[in-house]
Amino acid sequence: MRSHTLAVLPGDGVGPEVTEAALTVLDAAQERFGFSTARTEVPLGAEHYLRTGELLTEQMVAELRTHDAILFGAIGSPDVTPGVLERGIILALRGAMRQAINLRPVRLYPGVPTPIAGLTPERCDLVIVRENTEGAYVAQGSTVHRGTTSRVAVQESINTWFAVERAVDFAYRLAAQRRGRLTLCHKTNVLVEAGALWVDVMKAVGERYPDVETDYVHVDAMCMHLPVSPERFDVVVTDNLFGDIVTDLGAVLQGGLGVAASGNLHLDGQAPSMFEPIHGSAPDIAGRGWANPAGACLSLALMLGHLGEGEAAAAVESATAGVLAGMPALAGEGMGASTRELGERIAGSVREGGAPVVENSLMSQLARVMSA
Ligand code: IPM
Ligand code: MN
């Protein structure tokens, strides 16, 4: 039987609630598609930090590295200074595991309310490929004359041909599995040095993918086009900071943070990739069963696609979409069912099989890209 090792990091707040729901769905997928997972739970997050003072340690990195994938819930607490957990855990994990790409699908599923008037599922099915290791996120920088009003802060952005090429090549490969369109999103009219590097990488890598059509959109213009005409886009590739910002806008189109999923992909098979819903730990609603498990379940589907379980991935995506379509509200008391009940509903639908609710599953495209 196929088997995968999985590190589970439920984290804080609603993180453990949505992770539990996703694991119920994983159980169902395993039963139906005949594979198994060996799961190790790793305590990381605000609660663990406040108790032990520990962020991501060398020892945890070594332990996590032995797994095939990491399933991440959410971390954070109002009792921890902003930046500590983000840098000490999330960015540290992305760096330590060399997770080159942050893959963020922007897909509006049928029946899901979107704040964008007139937007239909047919018009909203794109994927944002965010470079995940550098740009402004290298966390370097310096301050001179600290503590005075003469203070000067320098915060540079690093762009290496190596990392940009790795991201762009992945984006081309994904586009080749989809509608064959790749858009570079940057700000080449102002960030001329970084911009030129990205443009040159696009051209150089593009020679290997003559069938993929490319275009270019400035990041500010992207913020206009995305809500108004998302059908213009198939795969969008962009730098770390632009990708961070634009994917929050993307999440709005598809029904908000409760629905949005992401995968931090390691591409060379030497460390695990990590899958997480885009939402945070939402301490204000923790413990009430008011968190939407869809983002976590769709992240699970991405994980399954990445592990090569394409059929299971597509089934989890379809089941999640089916349950989403019947939800009276996307989060909170009005959801009409608790996080756990929704997880059970999605699991039930995975077990039953049935007609796919969505065609062209990104998760199976991903499985094909990863196995090529
Ligand atoms: C995200 C988050 C993170 C980021 C934070 C928590 C460091 O906003 O995953 O988009 O900026 O990448
Ligand atoms: Mn973000």
mmCIF file of all heavy atoms in Angstrom, residues 271-299:
data_model
loop_
_atom_site.group_PDB
_atom_site.id
_atom_site.type_symbol
_atom_site.label_atom_id
_atom_site.label_comp_id
_atom_site.label_asym_id
_atom_site.label_seq_id
_atom_site.Cartn_x
_atom_site.Cartn_y
_atom_site.Cartn_z
ATOM 1 N N ALA A 271 13.155 17.904 0.922
ATOM 2 C CA ALA A 271 12.534 18.377 2.166
ATOM 3 C C ALA A 271 11.031 18.431 1.923
ATOM 4 O O ALA A 271 10.587 18.469 0.777
ATOM 5 C CB ALA A 271 13.084 19.758 2.523
ATOM 6 N N PRO A 272 10.255 18.420 2.990
ATOM 7 C CA PRO A 272 8.807 18.408 2.798
ATOM 8 C C PRO A 272 8.246 19.758 2.360
ATOM 9 O O PRO A 272 8.778 20.809 2.713
ATOM 10 C CB PRO A 272 8.273 18.037 4.180
ATOM 11 C CG PRO A 272 9.352 18.375 5.128
ATOM 12 C CD PRO A 272 10.648 18.305 4.397
ATOM 13 N N SER A 273 7.166 19.709 1.625
ATOM 14 C CA SER A 273 6.381 20.897 1.336
ATOM 15 C C SER A 273 5.365 21.069 2.462
ATOM 16 O O SER A 273 5.103 20.138 3.216
ATOM 17 C CB SER A 273 5.663 20.731 0.001
ATOM 18 O OG SER A 273 6.609 20.581 -1.028
ATOM 19 N N MET A 274 4.808 22.268 2.556
ATOM 20 C CA MET A 274 3.914 22.557 3.683
ATOM 21 C C MET A 274 2.617 23.178 3.167
ATOM 22 O O MET A 274 2.650 24.072 2.328
ATOM 23 C CB MET A 274 4.640 23.529 4.608
ATOM 24 C CG MET A 274 3.851 23.991 5.796
ATOM 25 S SD MET A 274 4.962 24.794 6.967
ATOM 26 C CE MET A 274 5.079 26.442 6.278
ATOM 27 N N PHE A 275 1.506 22.723 3.714
ATOM 28 C CA PHE A 275 0.203 23.128 3.189
ATOM 29 C C PHE A 275 -0.600 23.793 4.297
ATOM 30 O O PHE A 275 -0.735 23.247 5.386
ATOM 31 C CB PHE A 275 -0.494 21.896 2.617
ATOM 32 C CG PHE A 275 0.346 21.313 1.498
ATOM 33 C CD1 PHE A 275 1.393 20.442 1.761
ATOM 34 C CD2 PHE A 275 0.162 21.746 0.199
ATOM 35 C CE1 PHE A 275 2.221 19.983 0.744
ATOM 36 C CE2 PHE A 275 0.982 21.299 -0.827
ATOM 37 C CZ PHE A 275 2.017 20.406 -0.554
ATOM 38 N N GLU A 276 -1.114 24.975 4.020
ATOM 39 C CA GLU A 276 -1.800 25.734 5.071
ATOM 40 C C GLU A 276 -2.931 26.576 4.509
ATOM 41 O O GLU A 276 -2.810 27.147 3.435
ATOM 42 C CB GLU A 276 -0.804 26.648 5.813
ATOM 43 C CG GLU A 276 0.019 27.519 4.894
ATOM 44 C CD GLU A 276 0.849 28.597 5.607
ATOM 45 O OE1 GLU A 276 0.439 29.102 6.653
ATOM 46 O OE2 GLU A 276 1.904 28.954 5.071
ATOM 47 N N PRO A 277 -4.045 26.660 5.266
ATOM 48 C CA PRO A 277 -5.071 27.618 4.869
ATOM 49 C C PRO A 277 -4.487 29.020 5.014
ATOM 50 O O PRO A 277 -3.598 29.242 5.843
ATOM 51 C CB PRO A 277 -6.189 27.379 5.883
ATOM 52 C CG PRO A 277 -5.539 26.723 7.064
ATOM 53 C CD PRO A 277 -4.362 25.969 6.524
ATOM 54 N N ILE A 278 -4.978 29.968 4.222
ATOM 55 C CA ILE A 278 -4.401 31.317 4.274
ATOM 56 C C ILE A 278 -4.816 32.066 5.554
ATOM 57 O O ILE A 278 -4.114 32.945 6.020
ATOM 58 C CB ILE A 278 -4.770 32.107 2.982
ATOM 59 C CG1 ILE A 278 -4.043 31.457 1.781
ATOM 60 C CG2 ILE A 278 -4.420 33.571 3.094
ATOM 61 C CD1 ILE A 278 -3.994 32.280 0.522
ATOM 62 N N HIS A 279 -5.947 31.657 6.133
ATOM 63 C CA HIS A 279 -6.418 32.389 7.318
ATOM 64 C C HIS A 279 -5.482 32.205 8.513
ATOM 65 O O HIS A 279 -4.678 31.276 8.557
ATOM 66 C CB HIS A 279 -7.841 31.959 7.696
ATOM 67 C CG HIS A 279 -7.965 30.515 8.132
ATOM 68 N ND1 HIS A 279 -7.475 30.059 9.326
ATOM 69 C CD2 HIS A 279 -8.546 29.454 7.523
ATOM 70 C CE1 HIS A 279 -7.747 28.762 9.445
ATOM 71 N NE2 HIS A 279 -8.376 28.362 8.360
ATOM 72 N N GLY A 280 -5.636 33.086 9.500
ATOM 73 C CA GLY A 280 -4.824 33.009 10.711
ATOM 74 C C GLY A 280 -5.531 32.222 11.811
ATOM 75 O O GLY A 280 -6.472 31.459 11.541
ATOM 76 N N SER A 281 -5.077 32.429 13.057
ATOM 77 C CA SER A 281 -5.580 31.615 14.160
ATOM 78 C C SER A 281 -6.926 32.115 14.704
ATOM 79 O O SER A 281 -7.554 31.435 15.508
ATOM 80 C CB SER A 281 -4.544 31.588 15.289
ATOM 81 O OG SER A 281 -4.320 32.908 15.747
ATOM 82 N N ALA A 282 -7.366 33.287 14.265
ATOM 83 C CA ALA A 282 -8.676 33.859 14.633
ATOM 84 C C ALA A 282 -9.036 33.632 16.096
ATOM 85 O O ALA A 282 -10.051 32.985 16.396
ATOM 86 C CB ALA A 282 -9.765 33.286 13.718
ATOM 87 N N PRO A 283 -8.236 34.169 17.035
ATOM 88 C CA PRO A 283 -8.508 33.893 18.456
ATOM 89 C C PRO A 283 -9.903 34.347 18.903
ATOM 90 O O PRO A 283 -10.466 33.773 19.841
ATOM 91 C CB PRO A 283 -7.414 34.687 19.189
ATOM 92 C CG PRO A 283 -6.725 35.526 18.175
ATOM 93 C CD PRO A 283 -7.037 34.986 16.821
ATOM 94 N N ASP A 284 -10.480 35.311 18.201
ATOM 95 C CA ASP A 284 -11.806 35.812 18.598
ATOM 96 C C ASP A 284 -12.907 34.770 18.439
ATOM 97 O O ASP A 284 -13.921 34.822 19.132
ATOM 98 C CB ASP A 284 -12.158 37.097 17.809
ATOM 99 C CG ASP A 284 -11.971 36.928 16.296
ATOM 100 O OD1 ASP A 284 -11.029 36.194 15.885
ATOM 101 O OD2 ASP A 284 -12.772 37.499 15.530
ATOM 102 N N ILE A 285 -12.739 33.812 17.523
ATOM 103 C CA ILE A 285 -13.792 32.800 17.359
ATOM 104 C C ILE A 285 -13.326 31.397 17.762
ATOM 105 O O ILE A 285 -14.070 30.421 17.602
ATOM 106 C CB ILE A 285 -14.370 32.765 15.912
ATOM 107 C CG1 ILE A 285 -13.289 32.417 14.881
ATOM 108 C CG2 ILE A 285 -15.068 34.067 15.564
ATOM 109 C CD1 ILE A 285 -13.874 31.945 13.546
ATOM 110 N N ALA A 286 -12.109 31.292 18.303
ATOM 111 C CA ALA A 286 -11.575 29.958 18.634
ATOM 112 C C ALA A 286 -12.452 29.255 19.663
ATOM 113 O O ALA A 286 -13.031 29.889 20.551
ATOM 114 C CB ALA A 286 -10.151 30.100 19.166
ATOM 115 N N GLY A 287 -12.594 27.949 19.520
ATOM 116 C CA GLY A 287 -13.322 27.149 20.502
ATOM 117 C C GLY A 287 -14.814 27.094 20.271
ATOM 118 O O GLY A 287 -15.542 26.420 21.000
ATOM 119 N N ARG A 288 -15.333 27.788 19.277
ATOM 120 C CA ARG A 288 -16.783 27.828 19.089
ATOM 121 C C ARG A 288 -17.256 26.987 17.921
ATOM 122 O O ARG A 288 -18.451 26.863 17.698
ATOM 123 C CB ARG A 288 -17.234 29.280 18.864
ATOM 124 C CG ARG A 288 -16.735 30.187 19.945
ATOM 125 C CD ARG A 288 -17.137 31.586 19.658
ATOM 126 N NE ARG A 288 -18.198 31.985 20.559
ATOM 127 C CZ ARG A 288 -18.443 33.254 20.885
ATOM 128 N NH1 ARG A 288 -17.724 34.209 20.357
ATOM 129 N NH2 ARG A 288 -19.418 33.550 21.697
ATOM 130 N N GLY A 289 -16.325 26.468 17.144
ATOM 131 C CA GLY A 289 -16.734 25.681 15.976
ATOM 132 C C GLY A 289 -17.219 26.568 14.845
ATOM 133 O O GLY A 289 -17.992 26.141 13.990
ATOM 134 N N TRP A 290 -16.759 27.800 14.828
ATOM 135 C CA TRP A 290 -17.239 28.764 13.836
ATOM 136 C C TRP A 290 -16.266 28.968 12.673
ATOM 137 O O TRP A 290 -16.472 29.831 11.829
ATOM 138 C CB TRP A 290 -17.484 30.117 14.491
ATOM 139 C CG TRP A 290 -18.720 30.161 15.316
ATOM 140 C CD1 TRP A 290 -19.618 29.144 15.510
ATOM 141 C CD2 TRP A 290 -19.198 31.295 16.059
ATOM 142 N NE1 TRP A 290 -20.630 29.571 16.338
ATOM 143 C CE2 TRP A 290 -20.399 30.888 16.691
ATOM 144 C CE3 TRP A 290 -18.749 32.596 16.254
ATOM 145 C CZ2 TRP A 290 -21.138 31.742 17.507
ATOM 146 C CZ3 TRP A 290 -19.478 33.453 17.054
ATOM 147 C CH2 TRP A 290 -20.669 33.026 17.679
ATOM 148 N N ALA A 291 -15.180 28.226 12.673
ATOM 149 C CA ALA A 291 -14.201 28.415 11.591
ATOM 150 C C ALA A 291 -14.575 27.522 10.418
ATOM 151 O O ALA A 291 -14.970 26.373 10.594
ATOM 152 C CB ALA A 291 -12.802 28.072 12.084
ATOM 153 N N ASN A 292 -14.420 28.052 9.242
ATOM 154 C CA ASN A 292 -14.710 27.283 8.026
ATOM 155 C C ASN A 292 -13.526 26.342 7.737
ATOM 156 O O ASN A 292 -12.406 26.812 7.567
ATOM 157 C CB ASN A 292 -14.902 28.267 6.864
ATOM 158 C CG ASN A 292 -15.432 27.605 5.615
ATOM 159 O OD1 ASN A 292 -15.284 26.400 5.438
ATOM 160 N ND2 ASN A 292 -16.049 28.398 4.755
ATOM 161 N N PRO A 293 -13.767 25.036 7.673
ATOM 162 C CA PRO A 293 -12.648 24.122 7.426
ATOM 163 C C PRO A 293 -12.264 24.023 5.952
ATOM 164 O O PRO A 293 -11.354 23.270 5.600
ATOM 165 C CB PRO A 293 -13.185 22.775 7.923
ATOM 166 C CG PRO A 293 -14.654 22.854 7.682
ATOM 167 C CD PRO A 293 -15.045 24.313 7.873
ATOM 168 N N ALA A 294 -12.953 24.764 5.067
ATOM 169 C CA ALA A 294 -12.719 24.594 3.623
ATOM 170 C C ALA A 294 -11.272 24.930 3.240
ATOM 171 O O ALA A 294 -10.650 24.208 2.463
ATOM 172 C CB ALA A 294 -13.692 25.450 2.820
ATOM 173 N N GLY A 295 -10.737 26.019 3.791
ATOM 174 C CA GLY A 295 -9.360 26.402 3.447
ATOM 175 C C GLY A 295 -8.381 25.297 3.822
ATOM 176 O O GLY A 295 -7.460 24.973 3.054
ATOM 177 N N ALA A 296 -8.595 24.696 4.990
ATOM 178 C CA ALA A 296 -7.723 23.600 5.432
ATOM 179 C C ALA A 296 -7.925 22.365 4.556
ATOM 180 O O ALA A 296 -6.961 21.676 4.211
ATOM 181 C CB ALA A 296 -7.999 23.275 6.902
ATOM 182 N N CYS A 297 -9.179 22.079 4.178
ATOM 183 C CA CYS A 297 -9.439 20.884 3.355
ATOM 184 C C CYS A 297 -8.899 21.065 1.946
ATOM 185 O O CYS A 297 -8.378 20.120 1.347
ATOM 186 C CB CYS A 297 -10.937 20.575 3.326
ATOM 187 S SG CYS A 297 -11.537 20.058 4.945
ATOM 188 N N LEU A 298 -9.004 22.271 1.405
ATOM 189 C CA LEU A 298 -8.447 22.503 0.065
ATOM 190 C C LEU A 298 -6.915 22.482 0.120
ATOM 191 O O LEU A 298 -6.258 22.065 -0.838
ATOM 192 C CB LEU A 298 -8.974 23.818 -0.511
ATOM 193 C CG LEU A 298 -10.482 23.799 -0.826
ATOM 194 C CD1 LEU A 298 -11.009 25.203 -1.113
ATOM 195 C CD2 LEU A 298 -10.787 22.872 -2.016
ATOM 196 N N SER A 299 -6.344 22.886 1.246
ATOM 197 C CA SER A 299 -4.880 22.780 1.408
ATOM 198 C C SER A 299 -4.481 21.307 1.477
ATOM 199 O O SER A 299 -3.453 20.900 0.929
ATOM 200 C CB SER A 299 -4.414 23.506 2.676
ATOM 201 O OG SER A 299 -4.798 24.867 2.628
#
